[in-house]
Amino acid sequence: APRFAPELIVPGTSRMPFSLADAQSLLSTGPDTLTAKIVDASGKVVVPSISAKKRTVIDGIAYWDFHPTLTTVGQYTIILDGGDPEGSAISVNDPTTVTVPYPGQPLPPFDTPTNADHRGVTPVCTREPPCPLHDVTLTNALKEGIPVAYLVATPAFCQFGVCAPILDLLLGVRDDIGPRVAFVHSEVYTDDTAKTVAPAVEAYHLSYEP
């Protein structure tokens, strides 16, 4: 079960996290390491062996992240050792067609909602209690000259069961490393009806969350 947005994969080394699933649901358990191979559209093996370590988000949510290097645009299949021989389809996209900022590109500035200026997004944070990552806009955070961690997620209306814990984990990282990194959180929807996506989502053409 892929845990990444396929439209973001471009030639080069990519991060591809997967969870395990059976016909009914995602699985919460699995081995410490998974191994796999990758074949191209013709069935030629292009990555003979690649491994991924198990990582646990919270109890019941685990994933394994592969980091393959695929240099040519096209369709591929990753086949897990001991898994479904049909594998899981992956695509490597032409960078000129990718509208979402991807690794290696500068993140464009955007005036995210803050506690002082919601910019049409209410509530500015659906976490209970609200998180402290709404004091500055992403635009201003990017001007500080330090790394920026930017999360677009809606803890109250998450579709995939990871938005709320991801935000809490990010807050834990913030507590651990202090002011060396600027942290910014934006909500996915404009209000608590969860019907209209927020400008932060549209600004980066996001089709996924968190």
Side-chain angles (χ1 to χ4, degrees), residues 24-37:
Q24 286 73 42
S25 62
L26 291 174
L27 304 178
S28 60
T29 59
D32 289 337
T33 302
L34 295 179
T35 56
K37 65 180 178 181

Side-chain angles (χ1 to χ4, degrees), residues 42-200:
S42 70
K44 177 184 177 181
V45 176
V46 293
V47 180
S49 182
I50 190 170
S51 63
K53 292 183 178 181
K54 179 182 179 182
R55 304 183 186 278
T56 300
V57 182
I58 59 173
D59 289 341
I61 299 178
Y63 69 91
W64 292 256
D65 56 327
F66 293 93
H67 294 257
T69 299
L70 299 169
T71 59
T72 303
V73 170
Q75 301 298 313
Y76 299 85
T77 303
I78 183 168
I79 303 171
L80 186 68
D81 292 340
D84 185 344
E86 295 295 320
S88 181
I90 54 179
S91 300
V92 176
N93 304 283
D94 181 343
T96 63
T97 68
V98 178
T99 57
V100 181
Y102 55 83
Q105 290 186 312
L107 186 65
F110 179 73
D111 289 335
T112 50
T114 63
N115 293 319
D117 187 347
H118 287 199
R119 292 180 168 82
V121 176
T122 303
V124 72
C125 185
T126 62
R127 181 179 181 268
E128 292 294 342
C131 80
L133 308 184
H134 301 273
D135 290 336
V136 299
T137 65
L138 177 63
T139 297
N140 287 335
L142 290 169
K143 293 178 180 178
E144 294 182 15
I146 58 176
V148 175
Y150 178 44
L151 175 66
V152 181
T154 178
F157 301 105
C158 184
Q159 299 176 13
F160 300 102
V162 294
C163 291
I166 288 297
L167 178 54
D168 286 339
L169 289 172
L170 189 66
L171 293 175
V173 172
R174 177 177 178 264
D175 291 341
D176 289 341
I177 66 176
R180 291 175 294 161
V181 173
F183 291 83
V184 178
H185 167 229
S186 286
E187 281 289 330
V188 173
Y189 301 105
T190 58
D191 56 36
D192 57 11
T193 66
K195 294 180 179 179
T196 304
V197 296

